[in-house]
Structure formats: structure tokens, C-alpha cells
């Protein structure tokens, strides 16, 4: 049999197998609908337990000013009794968005901005994802052009779909669009934040690491969250200055 014919038949067989599994490569899938099974059917992705991967990120010596500490203490004092009952929009506007705005990720001189509910899409021979990301930082002031970090999912603590596979799908798309090997992100469930590192090992093969829980109603954990976000802000600025 001709080699080209054989390769074509193999590719067609692969497509048929994916369709039988309920995954049609020609049909896009929204991030909000992604389950971990969808990812494992499409690519080789594995969760690795290794908290040391966060050492550089979490252990950088960052000092918070008294004003920032007071700001975080006031947030907990005001919202801790009701935080776990917030729906997604209330959580974003009153608590998470307040923290992100305080960080001030936008840097107009460097063409960096943060985007809420902004579209992202990516398609190759394995993946076909699209949808709206709750929050990410990207190149571009008016329209997101290149996602740098933090395709972040917000979900209420009661009900809703677990955000981890949705975040991973977004991170995979971003890492492929940027042709990177590593990218960081985070997801939030109610008061709990988890930070994530995704690493590309080879084509269609990834591993990822999930941090311990950061309970944002605990002042020391909330300070840790704030420092982790400051680290990302500084990392993006350094990267853009170096690489554009």
C-alpha cells in the first residue's frame, strides 16, 4: 500500500475514534464545557504532585506596605461572613476584582492590559477550543493579542462546574499560541485560590502542578495571594522588556 494512502487512512481512523468518544475535532468546544475527560481524550496531560515547583514563585521576598496590609485586612473584615455565599458575579466585583485592580496589572507604556470576559480560541489537529476567559493579562491595550498569564476562572463555592479543567484548556491554548514551554494560572472556588503551573513536555503532552489551598479569608493566606500576584506582575514586565 502506498505510504501516503496509509497515513491518510490512519488519520481518518483516529478521527473516527475521537468521534466515537464524543469528541469531534471539526466542532469547537467552549471552555466552559470542558471536563477533564475531554482533555485526556485529546492530549496526554498528567497532574504531578510536587509543591517544590512553586518555590521560586511563592518564596520571593516581597514586602507589603502598611497601606496594602490594611486594605487586605479591611477586605476580610467586610466580606468574610458572606464570602462563601457570593454568586460568581458578586464574588468577582466585590472581592476578586478589588484585589486585581489594586495590583494594577495594566501598563500602557509596555502595551500590557488586563481583560475580563475576553475571547480566546485555538485550533490545531488535536484541539479546537474557544470561549470567553474570566480574566487574563495580555499584550494589547484595547484588544487582547497575546496572553501572558493567568487565564483565571471564577466559580461560586456552592454549585457550578469545577474550574480546573477549564483553566487547563485555556492554558494549553495560550501555551500553544505563544509557543511557550511553561505558563502559569490560577482558579478560585469561593474563598479558596489555587495556583497552577502548566508545562509542555512535547507535542500533545503536558504536565501540570496545583498549589496548596490559599484561603482568602485568612489574612496571612490573603497576603500570600497578593504577593503571588505581584510576582506575576513583575515577571510579565521583565519578560516584555526583554522580549517585547
Amino acid at each position: 500500500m502506498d505510504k501516503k494512502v496509509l497515513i491518510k487512512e490512519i488519520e481518518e481512523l483516529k478521527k473516527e475514534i475521537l468521534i466515537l468518544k464524543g469528541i469531534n475535532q471539526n466542532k469547537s468546544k467552549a471552555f466552559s464545557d470542558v471536563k477533564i475527560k475531554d482533555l485526556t481524550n485529546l492530549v496526554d496531560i498528567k497532574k504531578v504532585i510536587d509543591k517544590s515547583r512553586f518555590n521560586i514563585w511563592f518564596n520571593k521576598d516581597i514586602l507589603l506596605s502598611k497601606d496594602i496590609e490594611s486594605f487586605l485586612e479591611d477586605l476580610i473584615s467586610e466580606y468574610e461572613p458572606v464570602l462563601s455565599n457570593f454568586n460568581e458575579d458578586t464574588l468577582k466585583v466585590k472581592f476578586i476584582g478589588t484585589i486585581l485592580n489594586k495590583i494594577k496589572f495594566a501598563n500602557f507604556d509596555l502595551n500590557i492590559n488586563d481583560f475580563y470576559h475576553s475571547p480566546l480560541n485555538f485550533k490545531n489537529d488535536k484541539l479546537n477550543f474557544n470561549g470567553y476567559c474570566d480574566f487574563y493579562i495580555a499584550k494589547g491595550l484595547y484588544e487582547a493579542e497575546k496572553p501572558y498569564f493567568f487565564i483565571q476562572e471564577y466559580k461560586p463555592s456552592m454549585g457550578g462546574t469545577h474550574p480546573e479543567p477549564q483553566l487547563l484548556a485555556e492554558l494549553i491554548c495560550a501555551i500553544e499560541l505563544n509557543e511557550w514551554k511553561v505558563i502559569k494560572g490560577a482558579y478560585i472556588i469561593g474563598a479558596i485560590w489555587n495556583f497552577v503551573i502548566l508545562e509542555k513536555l512535547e507535542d500533545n503532552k503536558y504536565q501540570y502542578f496545583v498549589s496548596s489551598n490559599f484561603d482568602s479569608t485568612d489574612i496571612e493566606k490573603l497576603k500570600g495571594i497578593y504577593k503571588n500576584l505581584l510576582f506575576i506582575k513583575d515577571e510579565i514586565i521583565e519578560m516584555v522588556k526583554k522580549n517585547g
Side-chain angles (χ1 to χ4, degrees):
M1 180 181 292
D2 184 83
K3 185 178 180 181
K4 291 183 179 180
V5 175
L6 179 59
I7 292 174
K8 184 176 180 180
E9 290 185 357
I10 291 172
E11 290 302 318
E12 290 298 324
L13 181 60
K14 288 180 179 178
K15 290 180 181 179
E16 290 178 9
I17 292 172
L18 289 173
I19 291 171
L20 288 173
K21 288 181 176 180
I23 302 169
N24 188 342
Q25 286 179 294
N26 296 318
K27 184 178 179 182
S28 65
K29 192 173 187 67
F31 295 121
S32 58
D33 296 331
V34 175
K35 308 294 188 298
I36 195 65
K37 184 178 180 181
D38 298 323
L39 293 178
T40 55
N41 281 338
L42 289 168
V43 298
D44 182 352
I45 185 167
K46 180 174 67 173
K47 183 176 183 178
V48 179
I49 307 301
D50 183 2
K51 304 303 183 186
S52 68
R53 290 300 298 266
F54 296 90
N55 286 349
I56 294 175
W57 186 359
F58 293 172
N59 295 334
K60 185 176 180 180
D61 188 17
I62 298 175
L63 296 178
L64 301 181
S65 69
K66 291 295 183 183
D67 287 344
I68 294 299
E69 290 189 355
S70 295
F71 160 75
L72 297 175
E73 289 167 358
D74 289 344
L75 267 183
I76 291 178
S77 177
E78 184 171 2
Y79 294 121
E80 191 275 335
V82 293
L83 189 63
S84 61
N85 293 316
F86 279 166
N87 63 31
E88 185 174 351
D89 287 336
T90 305
L91 181 65
K92 284 191 286 188
V93 172
K94 288 194 170 185
F95 195 80
I96 299 169
T98 304
I99 295 171
L100 298 178
N101 287 336
K102 197 74 172 179
I103 296 285
K104 296 181 180 178
F105 287 106
N107 188 317
F108 293 172
D109 291 335
L110 295 176
N111 199 33
I112 300 168
N113 210 350
D114 47 349
F115 296 87
Y116 292 80
H117 195 63
S118 188
L120 181 72
N121 60 80
F122 177 76
K123 180 180 179 180
N124 63 11
D125 62 337
K126 289 285 185 180
L127 308 171
N128 190 356
F129 288 127
N130 69 71
Y132 288 85
C133 306
D134 284 338
F135 173 88
Y136 63 100
I137 307 160
K139 177 181 180 180
L141 298 184
Y142 307 105
E143 183 176 321
E145 300 170 10
K146 179 180 180 179
Y148 292 125
F149 168 76
F150 211 75
I151 304 160
Q152 185 174 349
E153 290 286 343
Y154 314 120
K155 294 294 173 185
S157 59
M158 296 189 299
T161 304
H162 198 285
E164 184 178 294
Q166 299 172 47
L167 173 68
L168 291 172
E170 295 169 358
L171 291 174
I172 288 172
C173 291
I175 212 170
E176 295 297 338
L177 284 167
N178 295 346
E179 298 182 347
W180 287 356
K181 292 297 184 182
V182 179
I183 194 167
K184 302 183 183 75
Y187 63 82
I188 303 165
I189 303 176
I192 305 300
W193 293 54
N194 291 95
F195 294 90
V196 176
I197 298 173
L198 175 74
E199 183 178 63
K200 181 177 180 179
L201 302 176
E202 56 187 74
D203 285 349
N204 303 312
K205 186 174 183 179
Y206 311 86
Q207 64 182 12
Y208 69 100
F209 309 83
V210 179
S211 73
S212 300
N213 293 346
F214 282 75
D215 184 348
S216 61
T217 63
D218 179 314
I219 186 58
E220 294 306 317
K221 294 293 186 181
L222 186 56
K223 289 178 184 177
I225 291 169
Y226 200 90
K227 290 178 181 180
N228 294 346
L229 295 175
L230 285 176
F231 178 95
I232 291 302
K233 177 182 177 179
D234 292 342
E235 183 178 64
I236 291 172
I237 288 173
E238 290 178 11
M239 177 177 58
V240 172
K241 285 181 176 179
K242 181 179 179 180
N243 302 318

